[in-house]
Amino acid sequence: MIKIFKNYSNNNSKFIALIVISLILSISNIFAGKKAFTLEDAMKFQVIKSYTISDNGKWVAYHTEPDRGDPMTFVRLSEEFENDKEYKIERGINPKFSNDSRWLASIVKPKDIQVLNADKDKKPKNNMTLLNLENGEKVEFDNITRFVFSEDSQWLLYVLDKDKKDIDKKKVKVIGNDIVLRHLGTGSELPIYDVTEFAFDTLGNYLAYVIAQPEGKRNGIYYIKLQGPFNFPQQIMKGEKTHYSTLKWNDEKGILAFISAKEDKEGNPDSCSLYFWNSRQKELSAIISAKDTDGIGIPEGWRIPFKNELNWSKDGNRLFFGLKPKTDTTEKEIEVKYNDSNYYNIDSILVKRELDLWHWNDPRIKTNEKNNWKTAKDKIYRSVYHQDLKKFIFLSDLDLPEVIVTENSEYTIGYNDKPYLKESTWAGEYQDIYKVNLITGEKKKIANKIRENAFISPNGNYIIWYNNKNWFSLNTHTDSIVNLTANLPDLPFWDIEYDEPSEAPSYGFGGWIENDAGVLLYDQYDIWKFFLDGDGYLNMTAAEGRLNKTIYRILNLEPNKQYFRGREDVLISSYNDIEKTKGLARVNMSILGTEKVVMEDNKIEVLAKAEGTTKYLYTKQKYDLFPDIWVADSSFSYQLQVSKVHPELTDYNWGKTELVRWTNNNGDTLMGWVIKPENFDPKKKYPMLVYFYDRFSDYYNTFFTPRIGHRPVYPVYTSKGYIIFHPDIIYKAGNPGYDATDCIVSGVRNLIKQGYVDSTAIGIQGHSWGGYQTAFIVTQTNLFAAAVAGAPVGNMTSAYGGIRWGTGLARQFQYEKFQSRIGGTLWDSLNNYLNNSPIFQVPKIKTPFMLMFGDEDWAVPWEQGIELYLAMRRLNKQCIFLQYRGEGHWPDKYPNRLDYAIKMQEFFDHFILKTPAPDWLIKGMEYRGK
């Protein structure tokens, strides 16, 4: 065993106990009156997981969940004089209001302890609670999977959790659920059986639904008229061996679009057609039939797939839908039974071979191809049917696989990544951009090899995209291209802090101005308006951002908003890059400059806006301020705290934060922040834990929810007297390990010089990219008393040729272009791969080291951990390797998460606080069959 682990015996146990008792008494004296935060506290700690505000702004609902335990939904009034009024739904999650703000429904989870104790085939099911907000009455429903309110708030539809285990899925390919339609006013209900799909129209006139029975006799598509006196369900289309899918209403014209399919011999939906049902005239039309051969029929070699995507334009004049090639490349399962005649038959034997052939010229490597297979086999190629022109246009095809849906009637954008699929293995993703004519189907390439997506203006007159540090605009009618940002070379619209060896990304797109009058783009700090034919630009925030080192960004709280009006007041976020505070401001689209709304010494995040009022839902947070939910008016002069999840926070030794700045050996000015224990005394020496990734200073005013997992639980460590340090790192391509060492070690030495850090009691922890850097840093310095690395790369030369199993991608692109920052291939930059690999410098390690991997890691091959462990073991270095069985990039199963948190804490406490070593650290853990 490792020498240091053998230094303990029964002879000195009393001496050790006295030291530990003295240490505990010392720490408790420092933090008298404050409770220590424990891992058990972290397990119980509640966090807000979902939130919503009613359309009238009167009610706010949210649900909380502990790290381990049961959730709870809370419903509160947003008016101050009645703010104490509250409803609770035990174990409720994801609450939703009806549009009229009179009702709320929430799925109710079973008790977590019942789920944990239940047999796999007898797991308890979800329920639902319906709350009447006018009188507080609740109605409970059992075995519910989901629910939806009708747009007019008169109806609630919920789906029952149907037991399908007795259905022969080989004979029945499409299986429905049972649904219930409930009239909210009267409470009367209508059950409907074997439903696969349903859709309310947004006017609240109709419910359409599809029935798929096991025996198929009632298969069809039906509707219920929801207005006026109750009506029995009516049939739209019916067929015993027919299936229906993808219901999509257009409310402007009252038309329901859907797919109809005949069954093939195996019972699968096949021979699909596109139908329209006009709810006003009660007329059914086959728009594109599987048998069509006329002018609007589908092209030869293509078919309408049953699993589809339908999208209407708002005016109902265009329906986008998908086609697929008729050729099905899915390999069919062939059953072979051997007899005397075929026992030695080569073809019969080879039927059962299991082979993946990797060709040097494959567009994707096989692992990525497999990972992409499910998406690829269900991929649709978008087309459009012009309802007003009675015309079908084939938009995307094998040579242009992606075309987006747009509202304008003339043009859209297409993407083609196929020329770059092979190159993406080592260079990342690129795509060509096309202008696509919706009327003629004509496709024209407008830009080559672009990383970011393009944007088309609401009226379709312009397409803009970012490339090579500039924004470009195309006039779709003249095809003239303008470099919008060329005249502003000293004001970068690209991320100047980007330090990966690939093209710097843009700062982003802010939106369009009404009538295609301009586009909003971001530089490092400010918001700019550009006129799209190259006629000039305006700094909408009047350069206040650059002057005050404040980053302004537009807050679009309406997901379907297409543009900003010419004189509209727009809410924007304001982030001070020096103080790391985040507030709100306004900018008017016709006036240059900003109007301050609110700025506090924390981080303000707007969550939502009540659709029918000017009330906003938002949070305030900082390290020691839990992000409770607040409500404000449009001016934010009225602010009301709605939730009070953790009033007890001040009872704990949570710690206080402080920004720090220092200069590294390269002369770069760096930022970071520390968490200091309560009642911090600058005359004392404190133990310290360094936790990092790359740039961490922007998280200074962030509340870090204590969660059991792969990161340190901060208040657990501050309760023990640790300082926690989060340094920024600046990289230059070629030497990421040395850059990390320089930035972190210089930051730590700066804190030691302040006089309050014990230079002999410093630990370091990182995960993934941070894990790699931790492993490398301890090969360069003996500054740290202990180090823990989660999922680290130990050998860049072997990791370069590894696979990210989550995506199936080769890891080469990470090293050549992105996070790993080598900036070259294994052959033209071999010395950098060798010099930045911890494994080749293991002989220099003197720091006690613990590494962790899940043996099904989907990001970093866990063999990297084995390599590093074996190297340290061979050289008799102090090393513990935690292998969590069946886990991915971090432990997900709660017992494993908790075990890692405990072992990390015990490891640091032993080597930094000098507490007794736990048995596993002294003796290891022998494998005993489990």
Side-chain angles (χ1 to χ4, degrees), residues 864-879:
Q864 287 292 310
I866 295 173
E867 285 192 49
L868 200 51
Y869 162 76
L870 289 177
M872 296 192 73
R873 186 178 191 272
R874 177 65 184 85
L875 297 173
N876 203 33
K877 301 290 182 180
Q878 301 180 55
C879 181

Side-chain angles (χ1 to χ4, degrees), residues 852-871:
M852 184 281 296
F853 261 99
D855 59 17
E856 293 182 8
D857 194 310
W858 39 262
V860 178
W862 85 287
E863 290 82 1
Q864 287 292 310
I866 295 173
E867 285 192 49
L868 200 51
Y869 162 76
L870 289 177

Side-chain angles (χ1 to χ4, degrees), residues 167-175 212-215 267:
I167 297 175
D168 188 347
K169 295 182 181 179
K170 291 183 179 179
K171 293 181 180 179
V172 182
K173 303 295 183 180
V174 182
I175 304 170
Q213 284 188 310
E215 64 275 14

Side-chain angles (χ1 to χ4, degrees), residues 327-360:
T327 305
D328 187 355
T329 59
T330 306
E331 191 169 341
K332 304 296 183 184
E333 192 74 33
I334 301 174
E335 186 174 346
V336 174
K337 292 186 178 180
Y338 293 111
N339 52 44
D340 291 340
S341 65
N342 67 2
Y343 184 70
Y344 291 103
N345 181 274
I346 291 175
D347 291 337
S348 298
I349 296 170
L350 290 179
V351 164
K352 294 194 174 184
R353 70 184 168 190
E354 297 174 346
L355 170 70
D356 294 320
L357 193 153
W358 297 50
H359 192 279
W360 77 88

Side-chain angles (χ1 to χ4, degrees), residues 17 77 144 151 222 251 333 339 345 375 389 439 557 589 614 667 676 795 823 849 913:
L77 282 163
I144 308 298
E151 292 290 326
Y222 301 82
D251 301 307
E333 192 74 33
N339 52 44
N345 181 274
T375 301
L389 304 176
I439 307 297
L557 302 173
M589 289 294 110
T614 56
K676 294 180 177 180
N795 183 351
F849 187 73
L913 300 185

Side-chain angles (χ1 to χ4, degrees), residues 187-419:
S188 57
E189 296 189 336
L190 175 68
I192 308 172
Y193 304 106
D194 304 307
V195 174
T196 57
E197 286 189 44
F198 57 85
F200 287 110
D201 72 327
T202 58
L203 300 178
N205 291 324
Y206 296 98
L207 169 71
Y209 59 91
V210 174
I211 287 180
Q213 284 188 310
E215 64 275 14
K217 292 182 179 179
R218 290 187 60 242
N219 284 12
I221 180 167
Y222 301 82
Y223 75 93
I224 298 175
K225 191 173 184 300
L226 301 175
Q227 300 296 332
F230 176 76
N231 289 274
F232 286 101
Q234 301 293 313
Q235 174 184 307
I236 295 175
M237 192 174 180
K238 188 170 180 285
E240 185 170 337
K241 292 189 175 182
T242 306
H243 298 282
Y244 306 89
S245 74
T246 328
L247 307 179
K248 195 70 175 181
W249 284 100
N250 176 264
D251 301 307
E252 183 69 25
K253 298 195 173 180
I255 295 176
L256 175 71
F258 60 91
I259 303 294
S260 169
K262 298 292 184 183
E263 276 188 8
D264 63 14
K265 293 179 181 179
E266 297 175 349
N268 295 308
D270 193 19
S271 300
C272 299
S273 301
L274 174 65
Y275 278 84
F276 287 178
W277 179 67
N278 189 311
S279 63
R280 294 167 186 169
Q281 279 78 44
K282 305 296 185 288
E283 293 177 352
L284 180 66
S285 307
I287 300 304
I288 302 180
S289 169
K291 298 179 180 179
D292 271 350
T293 57
D294 59 20
I296 65 166
I298 57 180
E300 185 177 353
W302 292 81
R303 63 185 175 89
I304 300 174
F306 185 69
K307 190 174 183 179
N308 215 307
E309 182 181 334
L310 305 184
N311 293 280
W312 283 103
S313 61
K314 287 184 179 179
D315 59 12
N317 288 332
R318 291 170 303 286
L319 178 77
F320 293 88
F321 65 99
L323 296 179
K324 287 185 69 172
K326 280 187 177 179
T327 305
D328 187 355
T329 59
T330 306
E331 191 169 341
K332 304 296 183 184
E333 192 74 33
I334 301 174
E335 186 174 346
V336 174
K337 292 186 178 180
Y338 293 111
N339 52 44
D340 291 340
S341 65
N342 67 2
Y343 184 70
Y344 291 103
N345 181 274
I346 291 175
D347 291 337
S348 298
I349 296 170
L350 290 179
V351 164
K352 294 194 174 184
R353 70 184 168 190
E354 297 174 346
L355 170 70
D356 294 320
L357 193 153
W358 297 50
H359 192 279
W360 77 88
N361 213 25
D362 284 338
R364 302 178 188 270
I365 62 172
K366 274 292 174 287
T367 48
N368 184 232
E369 189 179 4
K370 283 184 175 182
N371 186 274
N372 195 55
W373 170 245
K374 186 174 182 180
T375 301
K377 75 182 181 65
D378 291 330
K379 177 175 176 49
I380 63 169
Y381 294 81
R382 191 159 274 129
S383 301
V384 64
Y385 176 74
H386 293 268
Q387 166 79 345
D388 50 347
L389 304 176
K390 307 302 180 190
K391 183 179 181 181
F392 160 80
I393 298 296
F394 195 21
L395 297 177
S396 63
D397 53 30
L398 297 176
D399 295 321
L400 187 64
E402 298 295 337
V403 170
I404 68 169
V405 173
T406 55
E407 270 299 318
N408 83 86
S409 60
E410 292 188 86
Y411 294 103
T412 186
I413 298 171
Y415 299 106
N416 183 19
D417 64 352
K418 294 178 74 172

Side-chain angles (χ1 to χ4, degrees), residues 60-71:
V60 173
Y62 58 94
H63 96 264
T64 64
E65 289 184 19
D67 197 37
R68 181 177 175 86
D70 297 323

